[in-house]
Structures are given as structure tokens and as C-alpha cells.
Amino acid sequence: MAEFCLECLNKMYGRNDSTKKYIISKEYDLCEGCGEWKNVVVAERKSYYLYQMRCFLLPFIIIYRIIYFLFRLMTLPYLIYRYKMKKGK
């Protein structure tokens, strides 16, 4: 498996990615791009794009939770009735 530091990886792909996008090793390892001992990229984070979209998803999550709470509140009397009917039998 090829191991590159973040700077060499960005140079190789022509990007300017931050360290938040990748999981970086804690120990120094030999970078195959520049040949220096640096922290290398282990893997790409899968939830990075979801993390970036959190500002857009937050209103939908809040609306979903409000609707879910109201739905559970509306079904509460039925659930209490059903519980009492089962308990009575």
C-alpha cells in the first residue's frame, strides 16, 4: 500500500484538501513522495461530505424531530388505551 503525506497527496492529485478529510497516522512513516519521515494518510474519512453538508441538513433534521415528536404525542392516548386493555385481560 502506498503511503504519502498530505502535502504529497495534494500535489499528486492537484487539490488543496485539509487534514479533516483524511485519517492521518499518529506515528511517523516514510512518505513515498518526498522520502521524508512524516505522518502519512491512512484512509479517507467516509463521513467528510456529510460533515460538510451539516449546515444544509440541520433544518431538515430539526423539522423531522419536531414532526416525529408531534406524531408520538398524538399516538400516546391510543398507546395508553391499548396498554390498559392488555392489562385488563
Side-chain angles (χ1 to χ4, degrees), residues 34-45:
C34 59
E36 297 179 17
W37 289 92
K38 294 183 178 180
N39 296 336
V40 296
V41 175
V42 176
E44 184 176 358
R45 292 186 194 269

Side-chain angles (χ1 to χ4, degrees), residues 18-42:
S18 66
T19 57
K20 293 180 184 177
K21 187 173 180 180
Y22 299 102
I23 299 172
I24 308 292
S25 68
K26 293 180 183 173
E27 298 87 22
Y28 288 130
D29 205 352
L30 186 63
C31 173
E32 295 180 12
C34 59
E36 297 179 17
W37 289 92
K38 294 183 178 180
N39 296 336
V40 296
V41 175
V42 176

Side-chain angles (χ1 to χ4, degrees), residues 1 3 6 10 14 16 22 24 26 28-29 31 34 40-42 48 51 58 65-66 68-69 72 79-80 83-84 86:
M1 180 175 176
E3 296 174 341
L6 185 61
N10 283 336
N16 191 16
Y22 299 102
I24 308 292
K26 293 180 183 173
Y28 288 130
D29 205 352
C31 173
C34 59
V40 296
V41 175
V42 176
Y48 175 74
Y51 177 76
L58 187 62
R65 289 188 178 168
I66 291 171
Y68 180 76
F69 174 74
R72 294 296 291 186
L79 294 173
I80 292 171
Y83 175 74
K84 286 184 178 181
K86 279 186 180 180

